[in-house]
Amino acid sequence: MMDVLVFVYENYGRGDACPELTQLGHKLTAVGFESEEIEQALDWLEDLQQTAAGMRAVSPRPGSSGTRPLNRPRAQAARQDSLRAYLPREVEHLGSEGLGFLLFLQAAKALPTELHEVVIDRATAAHDRPLTLEELKIIIRMVFWQFDHEPSALVLDELCHDRSEQTLH
């Protein structure tokens, strides 16, 4: 599934440039991805799109009256001094390297709290096994892509390059 997500990310630079999921499925089949991989990736992407749409519906738009749809909970922004406690299954799924990377992004103010929660949700939905750091980076890029969040050049460099293959001088 991760190969499919990387392909989508690399070929559709922005979330709104991506075709409808049915059409995307046909394109992925034509490229040669396995049908099971495509189905998993499309389900994952659909859930990400629904999450994004739900968050946009709750958040007031600039210039709007600030009203929200009926029966929708009000999203509360996390306080600066708040602490996120991870569930045991999240810790197991993300691993110490993944959790460390998420903390790095938060400390660098590169991962807003709302997107942090989406990343954790999508990471735990990606596999039944623990993620590698590279897989987590793919998920973070996909969340940024879907929410049209533009990280700084340095953060993007961290997200796109495998540091384990570099030689330190």
Side-chain angles (χ1 to χ4, degrees):
M1 177 181 84
M2 290 297 169
D3 291 338
V4 175
L5 295 179
V6 169
F7 177 86
V8 171
Y9 179 81
E10 289 177 350
N11 287 279
Y12 303 101
R14 295 175 38 116
D16 58 1
C18 188
E20 179 186 318
L21 293 179
T22 306
Q23 185 181 7
L24 178 60
H26 295 305
K27 289 183 180 205
L28 294 169
T29 300
V31 170
F33 287 105
E34 299 285 330
S35 61
E36 184 178 330
E37 239 187 335
I38 294 170
E39 186 177 320
Q40 289 173 346
L42 292 179
D43 287 346
W44 190 92
L45 283 168
E46 182 177 23
D47 288 346
L48 178 59
Q49 288 176 349
Q50 289 175 352
T51 299
M55 289 176 70
R56 288 183 188 110
V58 172
S59 301
R61 293 182 193 102
S64 72
S65 64
T67 60
R68 55 189 157 77
L70 295 176
N71 300 324
R72 289 281 179 132
R74 179 179 302 274
Q76 291 184 332
R79 293 176 21 175
Q80 291 288 30
D81 61 347
S82 64
L83 178 65
R84 169 59 155 88
Y86 292 92
L87 296 172
R89 67 180 174 82
E90 293 171 338
V91 171
E92 181 181 332
H93 207 74
L94 295 167
S96 60
E97 198 174 25
L99 287 170
F101 190 72
L102 288 175
L103 290 173
F104 157 73
L105 291 176
Q106 285 186 300
K109 300 194 182 330
L111 183 62
T113 304
E114 298 80 17
L115 296 187
H116 177 260
E117 293 304 313
V118 176
V119 166
I120 292 171
D121 174 65
R122 294 292 74 217
T124 56
H127 291 297
D128 291 337
R129 60 172 174 74
L131 293 172
T132 66
L133 181 58
E134 291 311 308
E135 289 171 332
L136 179 61
K137 288 179 179 183
I138 292 166
I139 290 168
I140 294 167
R141 288 193 313 249
M142 293 303 294
V143 169
F144 283 177
W145 175 75
Q146 181 65 48
F147 283 85
D148 230 5
H149 181 77
E150 192 73 34
S152 71
L154 292 174
V155 170
L156 192 57
D157 186 52
E158 284 291 326
L159 287 169
C160 293
H161 293 98
D162 184 358
R163 300 286 178 219
S164 66
E165 296 177 4
Q166 288 184 331
T167 304
L168 297 176
H169 297 279

